[in-house]
Every structure is written in C-alpha cells, then in structure tokens.
C-alpha cells in the first residue's frame, strides 16, 4: 500500500502524512490515546481544502502515513481507502479547518487529566509555569453530547475564536496550530499543566497561584508565546523516540 499511496500524492502531501503519522505514534507513546477514539487531523498542502485524519478502527500506534484517510470538508473520501472515518471526529475537525485557515493541524484528546480539568468549574488555573502558555490563548466549549450534530460546529468555532488551546467541557482537550509539531507541543504543555494542577489539588493543601500581573503580561504577548513555541525544535527528538518505540510510521 505504501508505494501505491506515495506514488499518487505530491511530495508535500507525503511529508505531511509522515509527520501526522508520527504525531499519532507520539500520542500513543505518551499514553494519551483512547483506543481508536480521538483524532489528529492535518490540512493537505495545496489549493484543495482536503485534510488527513486517522482510519477508524486502527490504534494510534498502528497509524501509518499511507493508511491516513483523505477527506473533504463534507466528510467525503477524496482518495480511495479501505477505511472509514469517525463521524464525531469529522464534525469537530472539519469545523476548525473550515473556519481557521491557520489551523493546519488540529489535535483532540480524551486524556484522564484533560477530562478531569474540563469537569472542574474553574477549569485550568495559573498554578504552574506550564499553565501560562495555554492560558495565554485558551477558550472553552460547553458539552453538547457526542459531537454528531452539524449545528454544533457553529458554536464550537465561535467559542474557539482565534485561540490555539481549547478545553471542551466534560470531554477533553484540543489544540490547533499552523504545523503539526507546534500542535503537538501545545498539547504536551496543556496536558502537563493539567497533570500538575490535579497533583497539587490532590494534596488538599493551600495552593499558590501565579500573580495575575504575570499572567496578564503573558496574555499581551500571546502571539509570541504560542506561535513561537519551538515545536519544530523538539519535534526531531520526539520522532526519534517514536521510531525506536514504534518503527514503521513512515510507511
């Protein structure tokens, strides 16, 4: 299958497929996957508004560059594939891709820590340095049930606005960026912030929040904080770890 898919797509699309498959494997490597559920999508380079998403039924550590499914904004497969896609995943990701031209990659997860923080009324709090980065560009979306209602797309896009980080209430975490490495790094930072917050809260001891003036200062520099996060710098090392743990993602 690898040769047949690679021969049918541009070199730019193949590179995007390889990067996206590595991202799926990296999520599995960190234990953030949820069996066959949740999704990472990436815009296909070129004039067509097509994007790649995981084949429904494969575990994240099984996703390869050639198995990714290419669809349009209506969920129609635009390239032959033996796999289907998850309708709920399509609803969330197509909404963001359609509304945000800068959202070349959208990453949505159901980690235990992310869902736990999404349930807390106060949400993510400025308790750690890690929390400052998502808090500089964070939005929330109220839970409306399993994401199968096309009408929810309008509200999700409205709530997301121009932010890079989103907490979906009672549901999980979402990040978006203009490239795959940054979307992954954003999720790494937000996930770590959630883990730290829950560990601190679990002590039952008084907590020291970061002073509001510091948080306000970060927010005024949101573009620099989020758009220059250096995902591409950490990404080569992450891919090397992925290759050692789960070889073959680039097939």
């Amino acid at each position: 299958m690898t040769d047949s898919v690679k021969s049918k797509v541009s070199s730019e699309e193949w590179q995007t497929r390889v990067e996206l498959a590595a991202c799926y494997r990296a999520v599995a490597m960190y234990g953030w996957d949820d069996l066959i559920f949740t999704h990472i999508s990436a815009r296909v380079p070129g004039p067509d508004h097509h994007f790649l998403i995981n084949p429904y039924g494969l575990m994240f550590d099984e996703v390869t560059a050639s198995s990714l499914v290419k669809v349009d904004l209506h969920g129609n497969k635009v390239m032959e594939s033996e796999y289907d896609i998850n309708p709920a995943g399509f609803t969330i990701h197509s909404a963001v891709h359609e509304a945000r031209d800068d959202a070349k990659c959208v990453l949505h997860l159901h980690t235990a820590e992310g869902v736990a923080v999404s349930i807390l009324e106060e949400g993510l709090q400025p308790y750690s340095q890690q929390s400052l980065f998502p808090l500089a560009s964070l939005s929330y979306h109220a839970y409306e049930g399993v994401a199968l209602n096309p009408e929810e797309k309008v509200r999700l896009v409205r709530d997301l606005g121009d932010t890079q980080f989103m907490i979906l209430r009672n549901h999980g975490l979402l990040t978006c960026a203009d490239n795959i490495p940054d979307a992954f790094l954003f999720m790494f930072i937000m996930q770590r912030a959630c883990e730290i917050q829950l560990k601190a809260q679990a002590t039952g001891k008084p907590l020291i929040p970061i002073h509001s003036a510091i948080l306000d200062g970060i927010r005024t520099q949101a573009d620099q904080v989020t758009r220059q996060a250096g995902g591409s710098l950490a990404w080569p090392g992450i891919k090397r770890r992925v290759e050692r743990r789960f070889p073959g993602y680039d097939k």
Side-chain angles (χ1 to χ4, degrees), residues 145-208:
V146 177
L148 293 173
N149 181 6
E151 296 178 0
E152 184 180 356
K153 294 168 67 171
V154 176
R155 294 181 286 277
L156 188 147
V157 167
R158 178 198 63 205
D159 293 339
L160 180 64
D162 62 356
T163 64
Q164 316 304 126
F165 301 80
M166 172 174 266
I167 294 179
L168 295 95
R169 291 292 193 181
N170 312 96
H171 188 172
L173 307 177
L174 182 146
T175 60
C176 59
D178 62 4
N179 61 77
I180 293 167
D182 278 352
F184 179 84
L185 183 64
F186 292 169
M187 183 60 74
F188 181 93
I189 295 170
M190 182 157 59
Q191 168 66 15
R192 185 58 57 86
C194 290
E195 293 170 1
I196 293 169
Q197 176 173 323
L198 293 172
K199 285 179 179 292
Q201 291 173 325
T203 67
K205 302 293 186 180
L207 305 180
I208 303 174

Side-chain angles (χ1 to χ4, degrees), residues 4-9 13 17 50 52 66 68-71 76-83:
S4 62
V5 172
K6 189 174 183 179
S7 65
K8 293 178 181 177
V9 303
E13 177 176 334
R17 285 175 171 270
H50 297 158
L52 302 166
S66 58
L68 290 161
V69 183
K70 182 160 63 171
V71 298
N76 302 311
K77 287 189 281 188
V78 295
M79 185 175 177
E80 183 180 355
S81 173
E82 61 183 300
Y83 301 103

Side-chain angles (χ1 to χ4, degrees), residues 235-250:
W235 188 242
I238 293 169
K239 288 204 295 183
R240 288 193 295 271
R241 286 186 176 183
V242 166
E243 183 60 34
R244 290 194 296 268
R245 178 80 176 272
F246 304 120
Y249 69 88
D250 54 347

Side-chain angles (χ1 to χ4, degrees), residues 54-91:
N54 53 314
Y56 198 31
L58 291 188
M59 299 291 193
F60 277 25
D61 62 0
E62 297 176 316
V63 174
T64 62
S66 58
S67 67
L68 290 161
V69 183
K70 182 160 63 171
V71 298
D72 62 19
L73 287 171
H74 302 289
N76 302 311
K77 287 189 281 188
V78 295
M79 185 175 177
E80 183 180 355
S81 173
E82 61 183 300
Y83 301 103
D84 291 320
I85 65 169
N86 185 329
F90 170 76
T91 298

